[in-house]
Amino acid sequence: MKIAYVCYWDAFASDGVVAKINTQVDAWREAGHRVEVFCVSPEGSDGTGQALEGRVFTYSRALRRPAATRRMLRAARRSGANVAYLRYDHFVPTPGRLLRAVPTVVELNAPASFSRRRRKLPVRAFSEVNHRVIGRWARAFVTVSHSLRKEVEQHGKPVVVVANGVDLGSREALPPPPPGGRVRFAFLAGARAPWHGLDKIVGLAAAMPDCDFTLVGLEPDQLEARYSANVETHGRLSRAEYEPLLSRSDVAIGSMAMDRAGLDEGSTLKVGEYLAYGLPVVLGYQETRFMGEDPWFLLCLPTTEDNVSTHVEQVRAFAEGVRGSRVGREEIADAIGAQAKEADRLDFIAEVLQRPVAHAGSA
């Protein structure tokens, strides 16, 4: 297949999303497919190199974003691809012409309905149009969790759940910290989102003054609440900079407030990364990649607003029980490895191209 990968993201940020896209594209090329990435992105700051591999269409101000998007969509349409793979987002203008011209599979990573509710009325109205256009003209959908599948089933198109994977070849399990110290938790923020539950994490630190907490990707003034002396904050760091911080941590923290997005299950990138490094994880939802299991290295709290405040002692007991241990690669490789995930995704895309066209809804 010749695949046009279409997305809107900051192509100059070395974050989990960029790493995921690069990993996907590399796996597809290794499988023998021709892939070209088309991304509309804000300009990078001075001296910042492009982290996303592909053709990037930049804009310097919000008013110039529509023109950059048009250039990107036009290039994708004219690329000669026989299928487009579109990472769902709010495209301005909508990608309708691309979806009508090229069979398109859409990947949903976050709840579109929740994102629309958080926006001002004019933007919310356009976002609804964007959603309806994508829903009508997409050939099929890929979601990263079963909860998100409900977001797109209304369109009557083929849907498959492919949980987020991790390039295990690019990461090695980190050694555990030396025994005898204070228990240390680590949290990688990435892009700020309500479902991270930063207020809950700060509250957990206050309730556990005998433990230490390292928060990466956040400046002190970005926290939503005052934090206690056992919280250490770092701004955005490269992988080489945050790996030593993970190495001295006993337990990692996943998103703790998925209920705020109306979800109770997911496969977040950060949890996959933690496990690739060998860290046990405490999180506030059910992990898609381990549904129906109860592995020793995951503590899944209930998906409720008070899940952290009512389970402090359970978190403490979990941390004490796993400290000094690292998750074996053989325990998680099949569940989180990217190669198997991308093979499943490619099989689905190929199957979709053989199906008759069906367009539901209205634009």
Side-chain angles (χ1 to χ4, degrees):
M1 292 182 289
K2 185 174 182 182
I3 307 171
Y5 195 120
V6 181
C7 58
Y8 165 68
W9 199 254
D10 184 347
F12 301 88
S14 296
D15 60 11
V17 171
V18 167
K20 173 185 172 177
I21 295 172
N22 287 340
T23 296
Q24 286 179 305
V25 170
D26 287 345
W28 297 357
R29 288 172 177 161
E30 288 175 8
H33 302 284
R34 291 178 294 164
V35 188
E36 190 170 10
V37 176
F38 301 86
C39 177
V40 60
S41 165
E43 289 182 346
S45 57
D46 292 343
T48 302
Q50 182 177 317
L52 182 68
E53 300 168 7
R55 295 180 61 182
V56 176
F57 300 78
T58 61
Y59 61 90
S60 57
R61 294 181 297 171
L63 289 176
R64 295 180 178 176
R65 175 177 164 183
T69 302
R70 290 189 187 95
R71 294 196 304 273
M72 184 269 290
L73 294 173
R74 185 185 308 117
R77 286 199 314 272
R78 297 175 177 177
S79 66
N82 62 313
V83 63
Y85 190 83
L86 182 140
R87 181 182 171 90
Y88 185 96
D89 214 301
H90 299 277
F91 291 92
V92 185
T94 73
R97 289 187 66 188
L98 170 66
L99 272 64
R100 290 190 291 272
V102 183
T104 303
V105 176
V106 176
E107 178 183 291
L108 188 66
N109 290 272
S113 58
F114 174 76
S115 180
R116 290 196 299 275
R117 290 197 304 269
R118 296 168 55 221
R119 297 171 182 264
K120 294 181 180 179
L121 182 58
V123 179
R124 190 163 68 242
F126 179 82
S127 296
E128 177 62 30
V129 172
N130 179 75
H131 181 75
R132 293 174 66 185
V133 167
I134 292 175
R136 179 179 183 185
W137 294 105
R139 282 284 187 93
F141 292 87
V142 177
T143 66
V144 298
S145 71
H146 299 283
S147 291
L148 286 173
R149 182 180 186 129
K150 302 171 186 176
E151 289 257 331
V152 294
E153 285 181 331
Q154 61 181 300
H155 301 301
K157 308 294 179 68
V159 186
V160 69
V161 176
V162 180
N164 281 317
V166 180
D167 179 10
L168 296 176
S170 66
R171 295 168 177 80
E172 295 183 359
L174 301 170
R182 287 161 58 97
V183 172
R184 180 174 291 275
F185 293 82
F187 176 74
L188 301 180
R192 292 190 68 195
W195 50 82
H196 288 340
L198 293 175
D199 55 320
K200 296 186 182 186
I201 297 170
V202 170
L204 181 65
M208 302 179 68
D210 53 324
C211 301
D212 293 318
F213 290 74
T214 299
L215 309 185
V216 176
L218 296 164
E219 300 295 347
D221 60 356
Q222 291 181 295
L223 294 178
E224 299 167 357
R226 296 186 63 181
Y227 55 94
S228 49
N230 59 334
V231 175
E232 171 187 302
T233 64
H234 298 265
R236 179 171 288 184
L237 302 178
S238 67
R239 187 196 302 180
E241 292 172 321
Y242 67 67
E243 277 184 352
L245 300 177
L246 293 180
S247 183
R248 62 189 178 98
S249 300
D250 299 283
V251 182
I253 301 175
S255 296
M256 304 301 288
M258 294 286 259
D259 56 294
R260 295 174 183 173
L263 301 176
D264 58 8
E265 169 250 341
S267 64
T268 60
L269 294 170
K270 67 166 57 64
V271 168
E273 185 169 21
Y274 295 149
L275 293 175
Y277 283 124
L279 272 72
V281 187
V282 55
L283 60 160
Y285 60 93
Q286 293 298 309
E287 237 299 334
T288 307
R289 292 161 288 201
F290 297 93
M291 291 287 284
E293 304 177 34
D294 186 23
W296 67 268
F297 48 81
L298 290 183
L299 174 61
C300 300
L301 300 182
T303 314
T304 58
E305 187 60 28
D306 64 351
N307 57 353
V308 174
S309 63
T310 57
H311 289 80
V312 173
E313 292 309 313
Q314 189 174 356
V315 172
R316 184 190 303 278
F318 174 76
E320 289 290 349
V322 301
R323 68 180 310 191
S325 301
R326 287 295 193 241
V327 183
R329 183 58 56 91
E330 71 283 355
E331 298 180 88
I332 48 89
D334 290 343
I336 72 170
Q339 293 302 318
K341 304 294 184 190
E342 297 315 316
D344 291 343
R345 197 185 316 270
L346 289 170
D347 287 345
F348 179 71
I349 295 172
E351 178 186 344
V352 166
L353 290 179
Q354 305 304 315
R355 297 189 182 190
V357 178
H359 297 307
S362 58

